[in-house]
Amino acid sequence: FAVRAQENTYQHLLAAKDDTAKVMQLFRYGKKSFRNDTAQSRKLNREIIRISEKINFPYGGGIAAMDIAYSYVIVGGNEVQAIANYRKALAYLKKTDSTEMIAKCLLNIANCVEATDSYTEAVNVTLEAVRILENTPYKGMLARAYGSLGLTFYNIDNHPKALEYLKKALPITREIKDTGRLLVVLYGLSATLS
């Protein structure tokens, strides 16, 4: 019964008029219903992208492409496919005024790029996110970006730059009371100072 009800809900959503509300309902439905079914999730997200392009809703295309990219990271760690889909998402999101989602996408790209040992590109992409995030209310993301830069510089043995960015992350993580990130930053500082 539950499977049939879920299918009926899905078909009802698909039959609705193509508009931004439909896109967001489909996205929320997919996040809830296809959490463990990567193939179905990607199929639904491709449909969301198609509808978003049809109605000129770049935000919808961006979040759906990000969800596809994330699925490639989670299932099998396919960073190459993830990067391609995050870049597609970024192209959509740059047509919006969503600072938060653009920065989030950039930080995800940087993480995937670094996983492929492309440290210079990871630094450049993260710096782009930092430029977007500075002087915004998204302090948690800015702390994440500074911390990521610090750890990337640590990984390539550029300890002065690692210290610079980890020290920038430290007061923000304390201010926003992000204990998990604070531990990472303190560990990074300790390792770098060693």
Side-chain angles (χ1 to χ4, degrees):
F1 177 74
V3 173
R4 195 164 76 202
Q6 185 179 3
E7 182 60 29
N8 286 342
T9 301
Y10 184 51
Q11 292 306 320
H12 178 72
L13 286 171
L14 285 176
K17 178 183 177 223
D18 289 345
D19 59 16
T20 58
K22 175 181 178 176
V23 166
M24 297 311 292
Q25 287 175 331
L26 283 169
F27 187 74
R28 283 189 294 276
Y29 174 82
K31 291 295 254 184
K32 183 176 72 174
S33 302
F34 300 133
R35 203 173 337 179
N36 299 319
D37 189 340
T38 305
Q40 278 297 100
S41 176
R42 287 180 189 159
K43 180 180 175 185
L44 175 61
N45 278 307
R46 285 188 201 99
E47 178 65 11
I48 291 169
I49 291 169
R50 186 193 68 73
I51 295 167
S52 295
E53 287 178 347
K54 177 182 172 188
I55 64 171
N56 192 27
F57 183 46
Y59 182 83
I63 61 173
M66 278 183 68
D67 205 45
I68 291 171
Y70 181 72
S71 76
Y72 281 108
V73 173
I74 294 305
V75 179
N78 187 338
E79 277 80 15
V80 173
Q81 280 294 326
I83 292 165
N85 281 282
Y86 278 129
R87 289 194 190 287
K88 183 176 182 180
L90 186 61
Y92 286 120
L93 293 169
K94 282 190 171 183
K95 296 175 185 173
T96 74
D97 60 357
S98 181
T99 301
E100 179 183 19
M101 293 305 289
I102 292 167
K104 186 180 214 178
C105 193
L106 285 166
L107 292 173
N108 289 336
I109 290 170
N111 285 342
C112 291
V113 166
E114 184 168 352
T116 66
D117 296 330
S118 300
Y119 294 105
T120 302
E121 186 179 357
V123 166
N124 291 335
V125 173
T126 307
L127 284 170
E128 185 178 348
V130 164
R131 284 189 292 276
I132 291 170
L133 290 167
E134 287 177 332
N135 303 312
T136 71
Y138 307 112
K139 293 182 180 198
M141 288 179 64
L142 182 60
R144 174 184 165 197
Y146 284 150
S148 292
L149 277 170
L151 296 175
T152 301
F153 281 120
Y154 173 82
N155 288 334
I156 58 174
D157 294 325
N158 186 336
H159 298 125
K161 281 287 188 192
L163 283 175
E164 175 186 340
Y165 285 104
L166 290 167
K167 284 180 178 179
K168 285 183 175 188
L170 187 60
I172 300 171
T173 55
R174 284 189 170 136
E175 177 188 342
I176 62 172
K177 297 177 174 56
D178 184 342
T179 307
R181 185 149 325 274
L182 179 60
L183 290 172
V184 170
V185 170
L186 289 171
Y187 176 78
L189 280 166
S190 174
T192 305
L193 289 167
S194 297

